[in-house]
Coordinates of all heavy atoms in Angstrom, one line a residue:
D14 N -66.5 -9.2 -26.8 CA -67.7 -10.0 -26.8 C -68.2 -10.3 -25.3 O -69.4 -10.3 -25.0 CB -67.4 -11.4 -27.4 CG -67.2 -11.3 -28.9 OD1 -67.6 -10.2 -29.5 OD2 -66.7 -12.2 -29.5
L15 N -67.2 -10.5 -24.4 CA -67.5 -10.7 -23.0 C -68.2 -9.5 -22.4 O -69.2 -9.6 -21.7 CB -66.3 -11.0 -22.2 CG -66.4 -11.3 -20.7 CD1 -67.4 -12.4 -20.5 CD2 -65.1 -11.5 -20.1
A16 N -67.7 -8.3 -22.7 CA -68.3 -7.0 -22.2 C -69.7 -6.9 -22.7 O -70.6 -6.6 -21.9 CB -67.4 -5.8 -22.7
E17 N -69.9 -7.2 -24.0 CA -71.3 -7.0 -24.5 C -72.3 -8.0 -23.9 O -73.4 -7.7 -23.6 CB -71.3 -7.2 -26.0 CG -70.6 -6.1 -26.8 CD -70.5 -6.4 -28.3 OE1 -70.9 -7.5 -28.7 OE2 -70.0 -5.5 -29.0
M18 N -71.8 -9.2 -23.7 CA -72.7 -10.3 -23.1 C -73.1 -9.9 -21.6 O -74.2 -10.1 -21.2 CB -72.1 -11.6 -23.2 CG -72.0 -12.1 -24.6 SD -71.3 -13.8 -24.8 CE -72.7 -14.8 -24.3
L19 N -72.1 -9.5 -20.9 CA -72.3 -9.1 -19.5 C -73.3 -8.0 -19.4 O -74.2 -7.9 -18.5 CB -71.0 -8.8 -18.8 CG -70.1 -10.0 -18.5 CD1 -68.8 -9.4 -17.9 CD2 -70.7 -11.0 -17.6
R20 N -73.1 -7.0 -20.2 CA -74.0 -5.8 -20.2 C -75.4 -6.2 -20.6 O -76.4 -5.8 -20.0 CB -73.5 -4.7 -21.2 CG -74.2 -3.4 -21.2 CD -73.5 -2.4 -22.0 NE -73.3 -2.7 -23.4 CZ -72.2 -3.0 -24.0 NH1 -71.0 -3.0 -23.3 NH2 -72.1 -3.3 -25.3
E21 N -75.6 -7.0 -21.7 CA -76.9 -7.4 -22.1 C -77.6 -8.3 -21.1 O -78.8 -8.2 -20.8 CB -76.8 -8.2 -23.4 CG -78.1 -8.7 -24.0 CD -79.1 -7.6 -24.3 OE1 -78.6 -6.4 -24.6 OE2 -80.3 -7.8 -24.4
L22 N -76.8 -9.2 -20.4 CA -77.4 -10.0 -19.4 C -77.9 -9.2 -18.2 O -79.0 -9.5 -17.7 CB -76.4 -11.0 -18.9 CG -76.8 -12.2 -18.1 CD1 -77.9 -13.0 -18.8 CD2 -75.7 -13.1 -17.7
R23 N -77.2 -8.2 -17.8 CA -77.6 -7.3 -16.7 C -78.9 -6.6 -17.1 O -79.9 -6.5 -16.3 CB -76.6 -6.3 -16.4 CG -77.0 -5.3 -15.3 CD -76.0 -4.2 -15.0 NE -75.5 -3.5 -16.2 CZ -76.2 -2.5 -16.8 NH1 -77.4 -2.2 -16.3 NH2 -75.8 -1.8 -17.8
R24 N -79.0 -6.1 -18.3 CA -80.2 -5.4 -18.8 C -81.4 -6.3 -18.8 O -82.5 -5.8 -18.4 CB -79.9 -4.7 -20.2 CG -78.9 -3.6 -20.1 CD -78.6 -3.1 -21.5 NE -77.8 -1.9 -21.5 CZ -77.2 -1.4 -22.6 NH1 -77.3 -2.0 -23.8 NH2 -76.4 -0.3 -22.5
R25 N -81.2 -7.5 -19.3 CA -82.3 -8.5 -19.3 C -82.8 -8.7 -17.9 O -84.0 -9.0 -17.7 CB -81.9 -9.8 -20.0 CG -81.7 -9.7 -21.4 CD -81.3 -11.1 -21.9 NE -80.8 -11.1 -23.3 CZ -80.4 -12.2 -24.0 NH1 -80.3 -13.3 -23.3 NH2 -80.0 -12.1 -25.2
A26 N -81.9 -8.7 -16.9 CA -82.3 -8.9 -15.5 C -83.0 -7.7 -14.9 O -83.5 -7.8 -13.8 CB -81.1 -9.3 -14.7
G27 N -83.0 -6.6 -15.6 CA -83.7 -5.4 -15.2 C -82.9 -4.7 -14.0 O -83.5 -4.0 -13.2
L28 N -81.6 -4.8 -14.0 CA -80.8 -4.2 -12.9 C -79.9 -3.1 -13.5 O -79.5 -3.1 -14.6 CB -79.8 -5.3 -12.3 CG -80.4 -6.5 -11.6 CD1 -79.4 -7.4 -11.1 CD2 -81.2 -5.9 -10.4
T29 N -79.7 -2.1 -12.7 CA -78.8 -1.1 -13.0 C -77.4 -1.6 -12.6 O -77.2 -2.5 -11.9 CB -79.1 0.2 -12.2 OG1 -78.9 -0.1 -10.8 CG2 -80.5 0.7 -12.4
G30 N -76.4 -0.9 -13.1 CA -75.0 -1.3 -12.7 C -74.8 -1.1 -11.3 O -74.0 -2.0 -10.7
D31 N -75.4 -0.2 -10.6 CA -75.2 0.1 -9.2 C -75.8 -1.1 -8.4 O -75.2 -1.6 -7.4 CB -75.8 1.4 -8.8 CG -75.5 1.8 -7.3 OD1 -74.3 1.8 -7.0 OD2 -76.4 2.0 -6.6
R32 N -77.0 -1.5 -8.8 CA -77.6 -2.6 -8.0 C -76.9 -3.9 -8.2 O -76.7 -4.7 -7.3 CB -79.1 -2.8 -8.5 CG -80.0 -1.7 -8.0 CD -81.4 -1.9 -8.5 NE -82.0 -3.2 -8.0 CZ -83.1 -3.8 -8.4 NH1 -83.8 -3.2 -9.4 NH2 -83.5 -4.9 -7.9
L33 N -76.4 -4.2 -9.4 CA -75.6 -5.4 -9.6 C -74.3 -5.3 -8.8 O -73.9 -6.3 -8.2 CB -75.3 -5.5 -11.1 CG -74.4 -6.7 -11.5 CD1 -75.0 -8.0 -11.1 CD2 -74.1 -6.7 -13.0
A34 N -73.7 -4.2 -8.8 CA -72.4 -4.0 -8.0 C -72.7 -4.4 -6.5 O -71.8 -5.1 -5.9 CB -71.9 -2.6 -8.2
K35 N -73.8 -3.9 -6.0 CA -74.1 -4.2 -4.6 C -74.3 -5.7 -4.4 O -73.9 -6.3 -3.4 CB -75.3 -3.4 -4.1 CG -75.0 -1.9 -4.0 CD -76.3 -1.2 -3.6 CE -76.0 0.3 -3.5 NZ -77.2 1.1 -3.2
R36 N -75.0 -6.4 -5.3 CA -75.2 -7.8 -5.2 C -73.9 -8.6 -5.2 O -73.7 -9.6 -4.6 CB -76.1 -8.3 -6.3 CG -77.6 -8.0 -6.2 CD -78.4 -8.7 -7.2 NE -79.8 -8.4 -7.1 CZ -80.7 -9.0 -7.9 NH1 -80.4 -10.0 -8.7 NH2 -82.0 -8.7 -7.8
C37 N -72.9 -8.1 -6.0 CA -71.6 -8.8 -6.2 C -70.6 -8.3 -5.2 O -69.5 -8.8 -5.2 CB -71.1 -8.5 -7.6 SG -72.2 -9.1 -8.9
N38 N -70.9 -7.3 -4.4 CA -69.9 -6.7 -3.5 C -68.7 -6.2 -4.3 O -67.6 -6.3 -3.9 CB -69.4 -7.7 -2.4 CG -68.7 -7.1 -1.3 OD1 -69.0 -5.9 -1.0 ND2 -67.8 -7.8 -0.6
M39 N -69.1 -5.4 -5.3 CA -68.1 -4.8 -6.2 C -68.5 -3.3 -6.2 O -69.6 -2.9 -5.8 CB -68.1 -5.3 -7.6 CG -67.6 -6.8 -7.7 SD -67.7 -7.3 -9.5 CE -67.2 -9.0 -9.3
S40 N -67.6 -2.5 -6.8 CA -67.9 -1.1 -7.0 C -68.7 -0.9 -8.4 O -68.5 -1.7 -9.3 CB -66.7 -0.2 -7.0 OG -65.9 -0.5 -8.2
Q41 N -69.5 0.1 -8.4 CA -70.2 0.4 -9.7 C -69.2 0.7 -10.8 O -69.5 0.3 -12.0 CB -71.2 1.5 -9.5 CG -72.2 1.7 -10.7 CD -71.6 2.5 -11.8 OE1 -70.7 3.4 -11.6 NE2 -72.0 2.3 -13.0
S42 N -68.1 1.4 -10.5 CA -67.1 1.7 -11.6 C -66.5 0.4 -12.1 O -66.2 0.3 -13.3 CB -66.1 2.6 -11.0 OG -65.3 2.0 -10.0
Q43 N -66.3 -0.6 -11.2 CA -65.7 -1.8 -11.7 C -66.7 -2.5 -12.7 O -66.2 -3.0 -13.7 CB -65.4 -2.7 -10.5 CG -64.6 -3.9 -10.8 CD -64.2 -4.7 -9.5 OE1 -64.8 -4.5 -8.5 NE2 -63.2 -5.6 -9.6
I44 N -67.9 -2.6 -12.3 CA -68.9 -3.2 -13.2 C -68.9 -2.4 -14.6 O -69.0 -3.1 -15.6 CB -70.3 -3.2 -12.6 CG1 -70.4 -4.1 -11.4 CG2 -71.4 -3.6 -13.6 CD1 -70.3 -5.5 -11.7
S45 N -68.9 -1.1 -14.5 CA -68.9 -0.3 -15.7 C -67.7 -0.6 -16.6 O -67.8 -0.7 -17.8 CB -68.9 1.2 -15.3 OG -68.8 2.0 -16.5
K46 N -66.5 -0.8 -16.0 CA -65.3 -1.1 -16.8 C -65.4 -2.4 -17.4 O -64.9 -2.6 -18.5 CB -64.1 -1.0 -15.9 CG -63.7 0.5 -15.5 CD -62.5 0.5 -14.5 CE -62.2 1.9 -14.1 NZ -61.1 2.0 -13.1
F47 N -66.0 -3.4 -16.7 CA -66.2 -4.7 -17.3 C -67.1 -4.7 -18.5 O -66.8 -5.3 -19.5 CB -66.7 -5.7 -16.3 CG -65.8 -6.0 -15.1 CD1 -66.4 -6.6 -13.9 CD2 -64.5 -5.8 -15.2 CE1 -65.5 -6.9 -12.9 CE2 -63.6 -6.2 -14.1 CZ -64.2 -6.7 -13.0
E48 N -68.2 -3.9 -18.4 CA -69.2 -3.8 -19.4 C -68.8 -3.0 -20.6 O -69.4 -3.1 -21.7 CB -70.5 -3.3 -18.9 CG -71.1 -4.3 -17.9 CD -72.5 -3.8 -17.4 OE1 -72.9 -2.7 -17.8 OE2 -73.2 -4.6 -16.7
T49 N -67.8 -2.1 -20.5 CA -67.3 -1.3 -21.6 C -66.0 -1.8 -22.2 O -65.5 -1.3 -23.1 CB -67.1 0.2 -21.1 OG1 -66.2 0.2 -20.0 CG2 -68.4 0.8 -20.7
G50 N -65.5 -2.9 -21.6 CA -64.3 -3.5 -22.1 C -63.0 -2.8 -21.7 O -62.0 -3.1 -22.2
K51 N -63.2 -1.8 -20.8 CA -62.0 -1.1 -20.4 C -61.1 -1.9 -19.4 O -59.9 -1.7 -19.3 CB -62.3 0.2 -19.7 CG -63.0 1.2 -20.6 CD -63.3 2.5 -19.8 CE -63.9 3.5 -20.8 NZ -64.4 4.8 -20.0
K52 N -61.7 -3.0 -18.8 CA -61.0 -3.9 -17.9 C -61.5 -5.3 -18.1 O -62.7 -5.5 -18.2 CB -61.2 -3.4 -16.5 CG -60.4 -4.2 -15.5 CD -60.6 -3.7 -14.1 CE -59.8 -4.5 -13.0 NZ -60.0 -4.0 -11.6
T53 N -60.6 -6.2 -18.2 CA -61.0 -7.6 -18.3 C -61.3 -8.2 -17.0 O -60.4 -8.3 -16.1 CB -59.9 -8.4 -19.1 OG1 -59.6 -7.9 -20.3 CG2 -60.3 -9.9 -19.2
P54 N -62.5 -8.7 -16.7 CA -62.8 -9.4 -15.4 C -62.1 -10.7 -15.3 O -61.9 -11.4 -16.3 CB -64.3 -9.5 -15.5 CG -64.6 -9.6 -16.9 CD -63.6 -8.8 -17.6
R55 N -61.6 -11.0 -14.1 CA -61.1 -12.3 -13.8 C -62.2 -13.3 -13.9 O -63.4 -13.0 -13.7 CB -60.4 -12.3 -12.5 CG -59.2 -11.4 -12.3 CD -58.7 -11.4 -10.9 NE -59.8 -10.9 -10.0 CZ -59.7 -10.9 -8.7 NH1 -58.7 -11.4 -8.1 NH2 -60.7 -10.4 -7.9
L56 N -61.9 -14.6 -14.0 CA -62.9 -15.6 -14.1 C -63.8 -15.6 -12.8 O -65.0 -15.8 -12.9 CB -62.2 -17.0 -14.3 CG -63.1 -18.1 -14.7 CD1 -63.9 -17.8 -16.0 CD2 -62.3 -19.4 -14.9
M57 N -63.1 -15.4 -11.7 CA -63.9 -15.4 -10.4 C -64.9 -14.2 -10.4 O -66.0 -14.3 -9.8 CB -63.0 -15.4 -9.2 CG -62.1 -14.3 -9.1 SD -60.9 -14.4 -7.7 CE -59.8 -15.7 -8.3
D58 N -64.5 -13.1 -11.0 CA -65.4 -11.9 -11.0 C -66.6 -12.3 -11.9 O -67.7 -11.9 -11.5 CB -64.7 -10.7 -11.6 CG -63.5 -10.2 -10.8 OD1 -63.6 -10.3 -9.5 OD2 -62.5 -9.7 -11.3
V59 N -66.4 -12.9 -13.0 CA -67.5 -13.3 -13.9 C -68.4 -14.3 -13.2 O -69.6 -14.1 -13.3 CB -66.9 -13.9 -15.2 CG1 -68.0 -14.5 -16.1 CG2 -66.1 -12.8 -16.0
E60 N -67.8 -15.2 -12.5 CA -68.7 -16.2 -11.8 C -69.6 -15.5 -10.7 O -70.8 -15.9 -10.6 CB -67.8 -17.2 -11.2 CG -67.2 -18.2 -12.2 CD -66.2 -19.1 -11.6 OE1 -65.7 -18.9 -10.4 OE2 -65.8 -20.1 -12.3
R61 N -69.0 -14.5 -10.1 CA -69.8 -13.8 -9.1 C -71.0 -13.0 -9.7 O -72.1 -13.0 -9.2 CB -68.9 -12.8 -8.3 CG -68.0 -13.4 -7.3 CD -66.9 -12.5 -6.9 NE -67.4 -11.3 -6.1 CZ -66.6 -10.3 -5.8 NH1 -65.3 -10.3 -6.1 NH2 -67.1 -9.3 -5.1
I62 N -70.7 -12.4 -10.9 CA -71.7 -11.6 -11.6 C -72.8 -12.6 -12.1 O -74.0 -12.3 -12.0 CB -71.1 -10.9 -12.8 CG1 -70.2 -9.7 -12.3 CG2 -72.1 -10.3 -13.7 CD1 -69.3 -9.1 -13.3
L63 N -72.4 -13.7 -12.6 CA -73.4 -14.7 -13.2 C -74.3 -15.2 -12.1 O -75.5 -15.4 -12.3 CB -72.7 -15.8 -13.9 CG -71.9 -15.4 -15.2 CD1 -71.1 -16.6 -15.7 CD2 -72.9 -14.9 -16.2
R64 N -73.7 -15.5 -10.9 CA -74.5 -15.9 -9.8 C -75.5 -14.8 -9.3 O -76.7 -15.1 -9.0 CB -73.6 -16.3 -8.6 CG -72.9 -17.7 -8.8 CD -72.4 -18.2 -7.4 NE -71.4 -17.3 -6.9 CZ -70.1 -17.4 -7.1 NH1 -69.6 -18.3 -7.9 NH2 -69.3 -16.5 -6.5
A65 N -75.0 -13.6 -9.3 CA -75.9 -12.5 -8.9 C -77.0 -12.3 -9.9 O -78.1 -11.9 -9.5 CB -75.1 -11.2 -8.8
L66 N -76.8 -12.6 -11.2 CA -77.8 -12.4 -12.2 C -78.7 -13.7 -12.4 O -79.6 -13.7 -13.2 CB -77.2 -12.1 -13.5 CG -76.5 -10.7 -13.6 CD1 -75.7 -10.5 -14.9 CD2 -77.5 -9.6 -13.4
D67 N -78.3 -14.8 -11.6 CA -79.0 -16.0 -11.7 C -79.1 -16.5 -13.2 O -80.2 -16.9 -13.7 CB -80.4 -15.9 -11.1 CG -81.1 -17.3 -10.8 OD1 -80.3 -18.2 -10.7 OD2 -82.3 -17.3 -10.8
A68 N -78.0 -16.5 -13.8 CA -77.9 -16.9 -15.2 C -78.1 -18.3 -15.4 O -77.7 -19.2 -14.6 CB -76.5 -16.5 -15.8
P69 N -78.9 -18.8 -16.5 CA -79.1 -20.2 -16.7 C -77.8 -20.9 -17.0 O -76.8 -20.4 -17.5 CB -80.0 -20.2 -17.9 CG -79.8 -18.9 -18.6 CD -79.5 -17.9 -17.5
P70 N -77.8 -22.3 -16.7 CA -76.6 -23.0 -16.8 C -75.9 -22.9 -18.2 O -74.7 -22.8 -18.3 CB -77.0 -24.5 -16.5 CG -78.2 -24.3 -15.6 CD -78.9 -23.1 -16.1
A71 N -76.7 -23.0 -19.3 CA -76.1 -23.0 -20.6 C -75.4 -21.7 -20.9 O -74.3 -21.6 -21.4 CB -77.2 -23.2 -21.7
L72 N -76.0 -20.6 -20.5 CA -75.4 -19.3 -20.7 C -74.2 -19.1 -19.8 O -73.2 -18.5 -20.2 CB -76.5 -18.2 -20.4 CG -76.1 -16.7 -20.9 CD1 -75.7 -16.7 -22.4 CD2 -77.3 -15.8 -20.6
T73 N -74.3 -19.6 -18.6 CA -73.2 -19.5 -17.6 C -71.9 -20.2 -18.2 O -70.8 -19.7 -18.2 CB -73.5 -20.2 -16.3 OG1 -74.6 -19.4 -15.7 CG2 -72.3 -20.3 -15.4
A74 N -72.2 -21.4 -18.8 CA -71.0 -22.1 -19.4 C -70.4 -21.3 -20.6 O -69.2 -21.3 -20.8 CB -71.5 -23.5 -19.9
E75 N -71.3 -20.7 -21.4 CA -70.8 -20.0 -22.6 C -70.0 -18.8 -22.2 O -68.9 -18.5 -22.7 CB -72.0 -19.5 -23.4 CG -71.6 -18.8 -24.7 CD -72.8 -18.3 -25.5 OE1 -74.0 -18.7 -25.1 OE2 -72.6 -17.5 -26.4
I76 N -70.5 -18.0 -21.2 CA -69.8 -16.8 -20.8 C -68.6 -17.1 -20.0 O -67.5 -16.4 -20.1 CB -70.8 -15.9 -19.9 CG1 -72.0 -15.4 -20.8 CG2 -70.0 -14.7 -19.3 CD1 -73.0 -14.6 -20.1
T77 N -68.6 -18.2 -19.2 CA -67.4 -18.6 -18.5 C -66.3 -19.0 -19.4 O -65.1 -18.7 -19.2 CB -67.7 -19.8 -17.5 OG1 -68.7 -19.4 -16.6 CG2 -66.5 -20.2 -16.8
A78 N -66.6 -19.7 -20.5 CA -65.6 -20.1 -21.5 C -65.1 -18.9 -22.2 O -63.9 -18.8 -22.5 CB -66.3 -21.0 -22.6
L79 N -65.9 -17.9 -22.5 CA -65.5 -16.6 -23.1 C -64.5 -15.9 -22.1 O -63.5 -15.3 -22.6 CB -66.7 -15.8 -23.4 CG -66.5 -14.6 -24.4 CD1 -65.9 -15.1 -25.7 CD2 -67.8 -13.8 -24.6
A80 N -64.8 -15.9 -20.8 CA -64.0 -15.2 -19.9 C -62.6 -15.9 -19.8 O -61.6 -15.2 -19.6 CB -64.6 -15.2 -18.5
R81 N -62.6 -17.2 -19.9 CA -61.3 -17.9 -19.9 C -60.4 -17.5 -21.1 O -59.2 -17.2 -21.0 CB -61.6 -19.4 -20.0 CG -60.4 -20.3 -19.8 CD -60.1 -20.5 -18.4 NE -59.0 -21.4 -18.2 CZ -59.1 -22.7 -18.0 NH1 -60.3 -23.3 -18.1 NH2 -58.0 -23.4 -17.8
I82 N -61.1 -17.3 -22.3 CA -60.3 -16.9 -23.5 C -59.9 -15.4 -23.3 O -58.7 -15.1 -23.6 CB -61.2 -17.0 -24.7 CG1 -61.6 -18.4 -25.0 CG2 -60.5 -16.4 -25.9 CD1 -62.6 -18.6 -26.1
A83 N -60.7 -14.6 -22.7 CA -60.4 -13.2 -22.5 C -59.2 -13.0 -21.6 O -58.5 -12.0 -21.6 CB -61.6 -12.4 -21.9
N84 N -59.0 -14.0 -20.7 CA -57.8 -13.9 -19.8 C -56.6 -14.6 -20.3 O -55.6 -14.9 -19.6 CB -58.2 -14.5 -18.4 CG -59.0 -13.6 -17.5 OD1 -58.4 -12.7 -16.9 ND2 -60.3 -13.6 -17.6
T85 N -56.6 -14.9 -21.6 CA -55.5 -15.6 -22.3 C -55.1 -14.7 -23.5 O -56.0 -14.3 -24.2 CB -55.9 -17.0 -22.8 OG1 -56.4 -17.7 -21.7 CG2 -54.7 -17.7 -23.4
E86 N -53.8 -14.5 -23.7 CA -53.3 -13.6 -24.8 C -52.3 -14.4 -25.6 O -51.5 -15.1 -25.1 CB -52.7 -12.4 -24.2 CG -52.1 -11.4 -25.2 CD -51.3 -10.3 -24.6 OE1 -51.4 -10.1 -23.3 OE2 -50.6 -9.6 -25.3
W87 N -52.5 -14.3 -26.9 CA -51.5 -15.0 -27.8 C -50.6 -13.9 -28.4 O -51.1 -12.9 -29.0 CB -52.3 -15.7 -29.0 CG -51.4 -16.2 -30.1 CD1 -51.4 -15.7 -31.4 CD2 -50.4 -17.2 -30.0 NE1 -50.4 -16.4 -32.1 CE2 -49.9 -17.3 -31.3 CE3 -50.0 -18.1 -29.0 CZ2 -48.9 -18.3 -31.6 CZ3 -49.0 -19.0 -29.3 CH2 -48.5 -19.1 -30.6
Q88 N -49.3 -14.1 -28.3 CA -48.3 -13.2 -28.9 C -47.5 -14.0 -29.9 O -46.7 -14.8 -29.5 CB -47.4 -12.6 -27.8 CG -48.2 -11.8 -26.7 CD -47.3 -11.4 -25.6 OE1 -46.2 -11.9 -25.4 NE2 -47.8 -10.5 -24.8
D89 N -47.8 -13.8 -31.2 CA -47.1 -14.6 -32.2 C -45.7 -14.0 -32.5 O -45.5 -12.8 -32.4 CB -47.9 -14.7 -33.5 CG -48.0 -13.4 -34.2 OD1 -48.9 -12.6 -33.9 OD2 -47.2 -13.2 -35.1
K90 N -44.8 -14.9 -32.9 CA -43.4 -14.5 -33.1 C -43.3 -13.5 -34.2 O -42.4 -12.6 -34.2 CB -42.6 -15.7 -33.3 CG -41.1 -15.5 -33.3 CD -40.3 -16.7 -33.1 CE -40.4 -17.3 -31.7 NZ -39.6 -18.5 -31.5
R91 N -44.1 -13.7 -35.3 CA -43.9 -12.8 -36.4 C -44.2 -11.3 -36.1 O -43.6 -10.4 -36.6 CB -44.8 -13.3 -37.6 CG -44.3 -14.6 -38.2 CD -45.2 -15.0 -39.4 NE -46.6 -15.4 -38.9 CZ -46.9 -16.6 -38.4 NH1 -45.9 -17.5 -38.3 NH2 -48.1 -16.9 -38.0
S92 N -45.3 -11.1 -35.2 CA -45.6 -9.8 -34.8 C -44.4 -9.2 -34.0 O -44.1 -8.0 -34.1 CB -46.9 -9.8 -33.9 OG -48.0 -10.2 -34.7
S93 N -43.8 -10.0 -33.1 CA -42.6 -9.5 -32.4 C -41.5 -9.1 -33.3 O -40.8 -8.1 -33.1 CB -42.1 -10.7 -31.4 OG -43.1 -10.9 -30.4

Side-chain angles (χ1 to χ4, degrees):
D14 292 345
L15 179 61
E17 291 176 355
M18 291 184 77
L19 289 175
R20 185 171 60 250
E21 180 60 25
L22 192 60
R23 174 183 59 77
R24 288 174 176 170
R25 288 183 191 175
L28 295 177
T29 63
D31 187 54
R32 286 182 62 194
L33 176 59
K35 289 176 181 176
R36 285 192 182 186
C37 298
N38 196 26
M39 297 179 182
S40 68
Q41 190 276 329
S42 63
Q43 193 173 15
I44 294 292
S45 176
K46 287 176 182 177
F47 293 161
E48 292 186 358
T49 56
K51 292 180 179 178
K52 183 177 180 181
T53 302
R55 298 172 300 170
L56 193 58
M57 62 185 70
D58 295 327
V59 171
E60 289 172 345
R61 286 165 65 187
I62 291 170
L63 293 173
R64 284 197 298 270
L66 293 172
D67 196 22
L72 192 56
T73 294
E75 180 182 354
I76 295 177
T77 300
L79 195 60
R81 188 83 178 269
I82 297 172
N84 278 276
T85 305
E86 179 184 350
W87 169 250
Q88 299 175 347
D89 70 275
K90 190 165 289 186
R91 289 181 294 275
S92 295
S93 294

